[in-house]
Amino acid sequence: RHCRPMQQRPLGYSDIGGNLLAPATHASATTVPRPPAPAEAAGCRIACSAVHISRSFCDSFLVLLPLLVATAVTVGWLVYLLRSENNPLQLVRGYPRSSAANIFRRIPLAFCRRSLLLSPTKGNLVATMGMASTPKATVASPNRDDGENVVSKNDNQPVKKMKVPVAWTIAGSDSGGGAGIQADLHAMRALGAHGCSIITALTAQNSVGVDAVEYCSEKMIRASFKSLRNDLFPGTIKLGMLGTAEIVDVVVDELKAVLEYAERTGRQKPLLVCDPVMVATTGAVLMEAGTKEKMIQTLFPLCKIVTPNKKEAELLAGFAIRSPDDAEKAARKILKDGKCDSILLKGGHSSSEDVVDVVQDLLMHRNGESIWLTLPRLDSKHTHGTGCTLSSAIAAVLAGGQGTVPGSLHRLGQRNLNNDVASACVLAKCYVHQGIRASSGIGEGAGPVAQTQWPCSPGSFPWVTSTAKQGGKDRPGPFPPMEGVEIAKRRHAQGGGRGGHSAAAAAAAASDIQLLPVVPDAKWVARLASIMDREGLSSCRHIQIRPKGLSREALEEEIKRACDIARESSSSSGGGVKLWVNDHWDLAIKYGAYGLHVGQEDLFRVDGKGCSTEVDLDKVKEAGLRIGVSTHTYEELAKGLAIRPSYISTGPVYYTNSKEIKYIPNGVAGIASWRELIDPSIPLVAIGGISLENARDCIEAGAVSLAVISAVTQQDDVTKALKDWDQLWTNDDDDQ
């Protein structure tokens, strides 16, 4: 209003361009109209426009402010929900491959990368907001997609771009290409990690022997550390040939700087895997005097795991290793002297009367817990680089390696699972074993171990036991197979025994275990048995009873009644119900159950659940009971396979509310991975968050049976639910 040209204003004030100035002195304060000067009028118009724009913006902002706040809160909540582990969309189609969930989970990251992409399963690239830059390699996260989809420049087809975890190798170079950093980088790549190298020594060698060794300068080693630390920060670091005490000092100094840098910048500290290379496969000494003591005192305390072979362990412990007891004694001494977290004492070079047809490795932790990893011994001299490959494989898996199979999700290696060193060792042993099976000679001497792919061979997957004898002569089992498997095997034998892997897989598929409802008491057993007999359903003949919160007397009575109901149904309707008792092996034997299901905590020790002693696997086998084992990790799978069970179960496949989940769901990719590593004649049962909506995905991934809880017991119409489940397998039979 001060800028309007003909505005009446009191005499004594002057304003130019809309600015109020100090009052002038006049004899009177008479108000008179005054036209503005031309310059003043122009300034007034500009100021007037600014004032109106400002007032309009303020008015609009005040009106829209509540709406903007509400929108921001809603969008933020949706993004958080869709990207969280409890995403309800994941319960519909499974974790973490739901296309709808993936689209929304990717939106915040897509805007940051200036690109918005759709899943390749949905078809096309829907929108692009500029060129997407290539992301830096990062450690994989369980709450994030494995990769993003980009369009190939050659054929305009979507291809997968993986988010690759980084692993460093600090070792010597093998000019023959079979060991050292050459083997390290091959193994890391095969297991899904991006390998970076810091070279400590150059060796002139071939398949026959080592001709010369030259160590790298301190300046070059430190420069390599600095360069990689500033850009390609690792999830794990593998240490191999160091050679001299001086290099050990340099490496330890730089490793401490890396760990301090991680702590200072809020990064996750890399895990250190040390292969104390002292002697080559050819017999050449690769370590100078005084280096061993320096490694034990300064390097080992930084390491997550140390992986010496038998000869190296003898040098580190100071005495010969001639038996499993000697191996355990040496492992304890190295752990005590070196103060590392774990040790994997490799026994491939050992020979013993008790160990002839198998090769055994000892994994011991600082707390004294130990396991033995056992595999069939291979008659092959082509084992050059096995130690380097094994330690690099452990490092790649611990870094978060996803494998090279497209779409695979091997969650064991991801860092949130308690840094599962045991499972990483199991996978690494499988990788090396299948590499030896595929190896061949190249030069005149021992050939290098073949660098293959993510572990996928049942014949190379180790079994894990508490003692060396259990892994060898005293291995438990085998337990009776499922009835359908027995029939299929007999038919296969009568037909000449040809077919191999596919025939064994057909035997597992012929198993009569399909739907496996898990119920809390005998009343549910009777109810389901009645429905199956009345409706003539064939897919729900197996039931597992899992009572909770009962006294010993009530528990025994409940299991006795359930077993009686199962026997009555069998005598009245031919097939009847086949009852599996969960955990309580003594009661399952006493009252004649069909089978026993045990979890990992119940396999070797049962406490707090009614049984006061360890599971007597011999008595369970003598009673003729079949046995199924729950598995969640690769170590647990190796423990389950050690007893040669009737079936293996895996889970959780999806998120579930039926019990507390300690493990990230593996999804259908986990089922597929399990199926590859289990003998094809052993049925695979999937459990955890399974419903009719995602059941077919589980079956197609390799599960022959689905264990469910709420999908049956929490349904309003149980009869309809069982009919729907039965139709699932009936349709499959019709398709076949």
Side-chain angles (χ1 to χ4, degrees):
R1 62 177 175 269
H2 294 288
C3 297
R4 290 171 185 169
M6 298 303 294
Q7 176 69 41
Q8 301 287 332
R9 43 191 95 203
L11 198 62
Y13 281 84
S14 68
D15 70 311
I16 299 175
N19 294 320
L20 188 62
L21 304 178
T25 304
H26 294 277
S28 64
T30 307
T31 300
V32 297
R34 178 179 64 82
E40 180 184 0
C44 289
R45 284 193 296 270
I46 295 173
C48 182
S49 299
V51 170
H52 279 289
I53 291 173
S54 300
R55 293 185 61 187
S56 299
F57 176 81
C58 292
D59 293 341
S60 301
F61 180 79
L62 292 175
V63 172
L64 294 175
L65 180 60
L67 180 60
L68 292 174
V69 172
T71 302
V73 171
T74 303
V75 171
W77 178 80
L78 286 174
V79 170
Y80 169 79
L81 181 63
L82 291 170
R83 298 188 67 197
S84 68
E85 296 179 356
N86 296 321
N87 179 359
L89 290 179
Q90 296 165 2
L91 303 180
V92 178
R93 295 297 299 171
Y95 179 91
R97 292 290 180 186
S98 167
S99 296
N102 280 343
I103 293 171
F104 286 103
R105 285 156 63 93
R106 195 175 297 154
I107 285 176
L109 295 178
F111 275 94
C112 294
R113 290 192 296 262
R114 297 174 61 84
S115 62
L116 180 61
L117 305 172
L118 269 181
S119 169
T121 58
K122 292 299 181 182
N124 303 316
L125 182 70
V126 294
T128 302
M129 298 174 289
M131 296 298 293
S133 60
T134 302
K136 293 182 179 180
T138 57
V139 176
S141 168
N143 296 323
R144 188 168 61 197
D145 241 350
D146 290 31
E148 61 184 63
N149 306 305
V150 297
V151 176
S152 171
K153 295 181 180 179
N154 297 327
D155 53 12
N156 203 34
Q157 295 296 319
V159 297
K160 196 75 170 178
K161 184 168 67 175
M162 303 293 290
K163 291 183 176 69
V164 184
V166 173
W168 291 0
T169 170
I170 305 172
S173 172
D174 175 4
S175 60
I181 63 163
Q182 285 81 356
D184 296 343
L185 296 176
H186 280 305
M188 290 174 178
R189 175 65 186 90
L191 295 174
H194 175 74
C196 302
S197 59
I198 298 175
I199 300 176
T200 58
L202 302 175
T203 66
Q205 62 175 298
N206 51 32
S207 63
V208 178
V210 179
D211 297 324
V213 177
E214 182 175 309
Y215 295 103
C216 293
S217 66
E218 175 183 344
K219 180 180 179 181
M220 190 62 195
I221 294 174
R222 291 189 184 276
S224 298
F225 267 99
K226 181 179 180 181
S227 181
L228 293 179
R229 183 177 66 241
N230 292 339
D231 182 36
L232 297 167
F233 199 80
T236 53
I237 300 175
K238 180 259 177 172
L239 298 114
M241 176 184 175
L242 300 181
T244 69
E246 291 75 14
I247 290 181
V248 172
D249 286 335
V250 172
V251 169
V252 168
D253 185 48
E254 290 294 331
L255 287 174
K256 290 180 179 179
V258 169
L259 297 175
E260 292 172 0
Y261 177 81
E263 185 174 2
R264 186 171 66 252
T265 58
R267 297 171 182 262
Q268 199 164 25
K269 292 184 178 180
L271 304 178
L272 273 58
V273 180
C274 180
D275 178 22
V277 177
M278 300 179 181
V279 182
T281 305
T282 58
V285 177
L286 300 175
M287 180 176 289
E288 294 183 356
T291 308
K292 178 189 70 173
E293 291 74 15
K294 182 72 69 171
M295 291 179 62
I296 294 174
Q297 296 170 4
T298 63
L299 180 60
F300 284 8
L302 303 178
C303 295
K304 185 71 178 177
I305 183 171
V306 178
T307 63
N309 59 32
K310 175 177 175 288
K311 295 179 181 178
E312 293 161 347
E314 289 175 338
L315 291 174
L316 292 169
F319 56 84
I321 299 175
R322 298 186 178 89
S323 67
D325 290 338
D326 290 339
E328 293 181 355
K329 181 181 177 181
R332 283 191 288 269
K333 186 176 189 306
I334 296 171
L335 286 172
K336 179 181 179 182
D337 295 342
K339 298 180 175 59
C340 49
D341 286 352
S342 305
I343 179 174
L344 179 66
L345 201 162
K346 299 171 291 187
H349 301 79
S350 64
S351 59
S352 170
E353 295 181 358
D354 297 331
V355 182
V356 179
D357 298 328
V358 297
V359 56
Q360 295 184 306
D361 295 350
L362 170 65
L363 174 63
M364 182 178 289
H365 305 292
R366 189 189 297 181
N367 60 8
E369 295 180 0
S370 62
I371 57 175
W372 287 85
L373 290 72
T374 307
L375 274 167
R377 184 179 291 275
L378 298 175
D379 184 15
S380 174
K381 71 173 185 178
H382 305 305
T383 58
H384 181 49
T386 51
C388 302
T389 299
L390 178 70
S391 55
S392 297
I394 294 173
V397 174
L398 287 176
Q402 299 294 298
T404 55
V405 180
S408 63
L409 272 180
H410 304 285
R411 301 197 161 277
L412 200 279
Q414 293 177 343
R415 302 286 300 282
N416 64 309
L417 295 182
N418 302 317
N419 299 328
D420 196 342
V421 172
S423 291
C425 291
V426 167
L427 286 170
K429 284 294 297 180
C430 183
Y431 177 78
V432 171
H433 193 270
Q434 69 185 22
I436 296 174
R437 290 170 61 186
S439 64
S440 60
I442 298 177
E444 295 182 2
V449 59
Q451 304 293 341
T452 55
Q453 60 181 336
W454 186 272
C456 59
S457 173
S460 292
F461 194 72
W463 56 91
V464 168
T465 55
S466 299
T467 65
K469 284 188 177 181
Q470 285 180 334
K473 296 179 180 179
D474 296 341
R475 184 180 179 185
F479 286 87
M482 309 301 293
E483 291 181 0
V485 174
E486 291 178 299
I487 296 173
K489 283 185 175 180
R490 285 198 298 268
R491 290 176 179 174
H492 174 57
Q494 293 171 1
R498 290 188 296 271
H501 190 283
S502 60
S511 168
D512 65 340
I513 184 171
Q514 294 175 330
L515 184 67
L516 180 61
V518 181
V519 300
D521 52 43
K523 290 182 179 179
W524 268 103
V525 175
R527 183 178 179 182
L528 297 185
S530 175
I531 295 174
M532 287 185 293
D533 292 340
R534 183 177 68 249
E535 302 295 335
L537 306 180
S538 60
S539 66
C540 188
R541 293 296 174 182
H542 292 258
I543 301 175
Q544 181 187 140
I545 182 171
R546 188 168 69 182
K548 293 182 178 181
L550 301 179
S551 64
R552 176 66 180 181
E553 293 75 13
L555 173 68
E556 184 168 354
E557 180 62 27
E558 199 69 36
I559 291 177
K560 177 180 181 301
R561 287 197 295 131
C563 291
D564 291 341
I565 294 169
R567 274 191 297 271
E568 292 173 1
S569 68
S570 299
S571 60
S572 63
S573 59
V577 169
K578 298 171 181 177
L579 185 70
W580 295 77
V581 174
N582 190 72
D583 295 348
H584 306 288
W585 62 274
D586 53 343
L587 298 180
I589 294 174
K590 183 176 181 179
Y591 295 108
Y594 177 82
L596 171 70
H597 179 89
V598 294
Q600 289 291 315
E601 68 276 11
D602 310 310
L603 189 56
F604 300 110
R605 182 178 300 280
V606 181
D607 43 358
K609 297 185 178 181
C611 301
S612 57
T613 61
E614 295 180 353
V615 175
D616 193 327
L617 295 174
D618 291 335
K619 287 186 177 180
V620 174
K621 182 181 177 181
E622 289 173 4
L625 268 66
R626 289 147 179 88
I627 190 167
V629 182
S630 291
T631 61
H632 307 90
T633 68
Y634 289 97
E635 179 201 8
E636 292 184 357
L637 175 59
K639 286 182 176 179
L641 292 175
I643 70 171
R644 294 176 280 186
S646 306
Y647 75 73
I648 286 286
S649 74
T650 180
V653 180
Y654 308 113
Y655 280 100
T656 175
N657 296 322
S658 61
K659 62 185 298 185
E660 181 183 356
I661 295 179
K662 299 179 181 179
Y663 304 91
I664 293 177
N666 285 328
V668 294
I671 296 177
S673 179
W674 252 237
R675 183 67 275 171
E676 288 181 332
L677 294 171
I678 299 173
D679 186 284
S681 65
I682 299 177
L684 177 61
V685 180
I687 187 172
I690 298 174
S691 64
L692 281 169
E693 288 75 15
N694 53 40
R696 188 169 295 279
D697 294 338
C698 298
I699 294 174
E700 291 176 354
V704 300
S705 175
L706 305 177
V708 297
I709 302 176
S710 59
V712 170
T713 60
Q714 295 182 15
Q715 301 303 306
D716 295 333
D717 190 340
V718 177
T719 300
K720 181 180 182 303
L722 289 180
K723 285 183 176 181
D724 292 339
W725 281 105
D726 190 72
Q727 191 68 26
L728 177 68
W729 276 279
T730 302
N731 291 339
D732 285 345
D733 294 339
D734 293 340
D735 294 339
Q736 295 173 2

